[in-house]
Amino acid sequence: RDAFYKGAIAEAIAADMKSRDGLIDLEDLAAHKADWVEPISTNYRGYDLFEMPPSTQGFVALEMLNLMEGFDVKAMGHNSADYLHLVAEAKKIAFADRSAYLADRASMPKGALQMLISKEYATKRRAEINMEKAGTYAAGVLGAATSGTPVDFAGRDLGDTIYLTVADGEGNVVSLIQSLFESFGAGIVAGDTGITLHNRGSGFVLTAGHPNQIAPGKRPLHTLVPAMLLKDGRPWVSFGVMGGDNQGQAHAQIVANLVDFGMNVRDAGDAARMRHMGSNLAVETGVGVEVRKALELRGHRLIDARGMVGGYQAVMVDPKTGLLAGGSDLRKDGLAIGW
C-alpha cells in the first residue's frame, strides 16, 4: 500500500498531476484510505437485494424495486408496454432523487438514504405514477437544498468497466466491479508509471450547496454497483451489469427477470432490456412493434438501444444442492466457467 500511496509511484503521480495543474498532491495520496462499508438492502417479494451505499448509486435499484413492488409485475408480462412503462417511471423517480441527494456519505442530508430506500417512501412516490402517461418527477422533499443540474452519464462512452463474480463450493461468493470510467479514464498516464488515471471526479457538480459539490477530501457520485440477491439469508444470485447510469436500472430489470418472471441465470441477462436516457427510452430489438407503439402513445420517445444496455455476468447458487450456474451476457465479451 505504501509503495503506491507514499513511495516512488505516488511521487510520480503527484508530479504528473502538478504539471497539469491537477488538484491531487502527494499529501492527498498519502492520506487516502479504503473504507470497509456495510451494504444497503431492500426486500423484494421475499428476496433481499444488497447494493453498495453512497457515494455510489446502489440505492437507485432499491428504490426502483420498492416502487415496482406495489404493482403486479408478473401479470403485466415480461417486456409488455405496462411493464416497460413502469420500469421507466420508477427509474425517473429514483434518478430525480439520485441527482438531488447522492454524494459522499458524509455530505448527504441526515436520514436521506434511509428514507429513500424505505417502503413508506416508495408508497408515497408510487402514487405519482400514471400508468397511461409518461411523467416528469421532482426529487422527494427531505428537508435539504436540492437545486442543481441532474447528473446523468447517458451517452458517454463508458468502455473501461469490468465486472466479475465468483463462487466456490464452501459458500463463499464475491461480486466485484472496477472501472476507469470513460474510455481510458482521464486519458492520462502518470509519468512513466504506466498507470492510467480515472476520471471519476467528473461526477462532482459545481452547484453551491449541493451535497455533491466538489470539495477537498470528498468522494464524487459514481456509478459502480456490484450486487447480490439473497434468499433466506444466503446468497442466491451474485450479479452485476456494466454501463454507467445504466447499472441501477438494469439491476431492477434483472431482479424482476429472476423473481417475477422465473428466468434462469442465463436468460435473466440475455432477455431484451431497456434504458431510460434523458428524454429517450432506449429499447432493444427484442421488444415488439406493438409494444413500441403503445409506449410511444404514452409519451415515450424511443431510440435504438444497441450497445447501450451494458453487459451482465452472474452466478446462481442452488439453495438446496449448492450447484453453481453461471451466466454471461451475449452482448459483449465474457464467459461463464467452472473449474
Side-chain angles (χ1 to χ4, degrees):
R1 183 263 179 211
D2 285 352
F4 189 94
Y5 289 102
K6 292 183 178 180
I9 296 174
E11 292 172 357
I13 293 173
D16 189 87
M17 293 286 282
K18 185 177 180 180
S19 72
R20 304 174 191 274
D21 295 325
L23 300 178
I24 298 174
D25 60 22
L26 195 57
E27 291 182 358
D28 294 318
L29 291 167
H32 174 77
K33 64 181 180 67
D35 293 332
W36 183 275
V37 298
E38 291 296 321
I40 55 177
S41 67
T42 196
N43 185 277
Y44 182 74
R45 308 192 201 282
Y47 295 82
D48 295 308
L49 177 64
F50 282 81
E51 297 273 358
M52 293 297 288
S55 60
T56 197
Q57 62 175 345
F59 87 81
V60 167
L62 306 183
E63 185 175 346
M64 286 182 65
L65 288 168
N66 285 340
L67 291 165
M68 292 164 58
E69 193 175 34
F71 296 84
D72 191 344
V73 169
K74 183 178 181 180
M76 289 178 176
H78 183 255
N79 280 355
S80 66
D82 280 345
Y83 170 68
L84 294 177
H85 175 77
L86 173 60
V87 174
E89 300 307 289
K91 181 267 182 184
K92 293 177 191 177
I93 293 173
F95 265 60
D97 289 330
R98 189 189 89 147
S99 295
Y101 296 110
L102 183 54
D104 191 291
R105 288 185 293 281
S107 298
M108 291 180 66
K110 186 177 181 180
L113 178 61
Q114 291 72 22
M115 175 63 74
L116 292 170
I117 63 175
S118 70
K119 299 294 187 180
E120 295 76 15
Y121 181 73
T123 298
K124 178 181 178 181
R125 298 304 306 267
R126 191 182 300 123
E128 300 175 33
I129 298 175
N130 182 342
M131 287 300 295
E132 301 303 320
K133 184 178 180 181
T136 56
Y137 305 92
V141 179
L142 305 179
T146 61
S147 61
T149 303
V151 179
D152 194 337
F153 300 112
R156 293 189 182 181
D157 181 10
L158 307 174
D160 279 351
T161 302
I162 64 97
Y163 174 82
L164 66 87
T165 179
V166 62
D168 66 15
E170 298 179 355
N172 300 298
V173 185
V174 174
S175 183
L176 182 147
I177 198 164
Q178 175 62 14
S179 179
L180 291 173
F181 192 33
E182 298 189 56
S183 291
F184 293 99
I188 294 170
V189 174
D192 60 359
T193 64
I195 296 170
T196 305
L197 304 180
H198 68 69
N199 65 326
R200 286 284 167 184
S202 59
F204 281 122
V205 299
L206 302 178
T207 308
H210 192 285
N212 191 38
Q213 181 184 8
I214 189 169
K218 191 173 180 179
R219 290 180 169 92
L221 174 159
H222 74 89
T223 58
L224 296 176
V225 277
M228 199 173 292
L229 194 59
L230 277 65
K231 178 64 174 175
D232 299 325
R234 298 180 62 85
W236 179 45
V237 181
S238 176
F239 71 97
V241 184
M242 296 165 275
D245 74 288
N246 170 68
Q247 294 184 42
Q249 53 187 304
H251 284 200
Q253 293 172 79
I254 294 298
V255 171
N257 287 348
L258 293 164
V259 175
D260 293 301
F261 303 118
M263 295 184 189
N264 63 38
V265 68
R266 173 67 185 270
D267 291 345
D270 285 353
R273 291 196 291 274
M274 55 132 278
R275 176 181 180 180
H276 182 265
M277 306 171 67
S279 60
N280 298 320
L281 187 61
V283 295
E284 292 193 296
T285 53
V287 176
V289 174
E290 293 304 315
V291 171
R292 291 167 180 265
K293 290 179 180 179
L295 289 169
E296 289 174 337
L297 287 173
R298 298 184 199 199
H300 296 286
R301 182 178 182 272
L302 270 57
I303 62 172
D304 188 346
R306 280 178 291 186
M308 297 182 182
V309 296
Y312 155 96
Q313 314 274 20
V315 170
M316 178 181 282
V317 184
D318 187 291
K320 294 182 180 179
T321 65
L323 179 70
L324 303 177
S328 184
D329 204 313
L330 55 74
R331 297 167 181 85
K332 61 196 310 176
D333 291 342
L335 78 163
I337 189 169
W339 74 94

